[in-house]
Amino acid sequence: MRAFLLVAAGGALGATLRYAAALAVARFHSGTFPLATVLINIVGCLAIGLVLGTVGEHPLADPDLRRFLVTGFLGGFTTFSAFGYETIDLLRRGSTGAALANVALSVGLGLAAVAIGLRFSRLI
C-alpha cells in the first residue's frame, strides 16, 4: 500500500508541474506546434537520466525514493501520451512537417537529454 501512495503522491505533483509548465509555455507560444509537450518531454528525459543515474544505480538507494520520483513524479510529469496524440493530430490536419519535427525533437533531444542526465549524475 505504501508503494501505491508514494506513486500517487509523486504522480499528483508531477502532473501539477506539467500543467503549470504547459501554461507557462502557452504564455509565450500560441502556435499549433506542441512546444510545451516537446519541452516537458525533454526536461523529463533529462530528469530521469539524472535520477536513475544517481538514485537508481546507487547501492544504498531507497526503492521508495525511486517509486516516488521515477514512477510517480516523472510518470505524472512527462507527457508521452500527449506527444502521441498531438503528433497524430498534426498529421490529420495535414501538418506533416510539424508532425515530423515533433517526433524528431521529442525523440532525438529526449534521448540526448537522458544521456546528458546520466553523464551529469556522475558529477553529483
Side-chain angles (χ1 to χ4, degrees):
M1 184 57 136
R2 175 184 167 92
F4 287 101
L5 293 174
L6 288 167
V7 170
L13 291 173
T16 301
L17 182 59
R18 179 184 70 219
Y19 179 68
L23 290 177
V25 170
R27 293 183 67 201
F28 302 101
H29 174 73
S30 61
T32 59
F33 184 78
L35 182 61
T37 300
V38 169
L39 293 175
I40 288 165
N41 282 339
I42 292 167
V43 169
C45 286
L46 178 63
I48 202 166
L50 285 168
V51 169
L52 290 179
T54 53
V55 173
E57 296 179 6
H58 194 280
L60 299 177
D62 182 359
D64 283 342
L65 182 59
R66 182 176 173 149
R67 287 181 190 104
F68 175 80
L69 289 176
V70 176
T71 305
F73 183 79
L74 291 175
F77 178 70
T78 57
T79 55
F80 216 70
S81 58
F83 156 77
Y85 172 80
E86 290 169 345
T87 301
I88 296 300
D89 189 52
L90 286 168
L91 289 170
R92 285 191 327 204
R93 291 187 285 133
S95 299
T96 305
L100 292 174
N102 189 34
V103 170
L105 289 169
S106 292
V107 174
L109 293 177
L111 292 174
V114 170
I116 291 167
L118 287 169
R119 184 164 300 243
F120 281 146
S121 73
R122 293 184 186 111
L123 302 173
I124 297 174

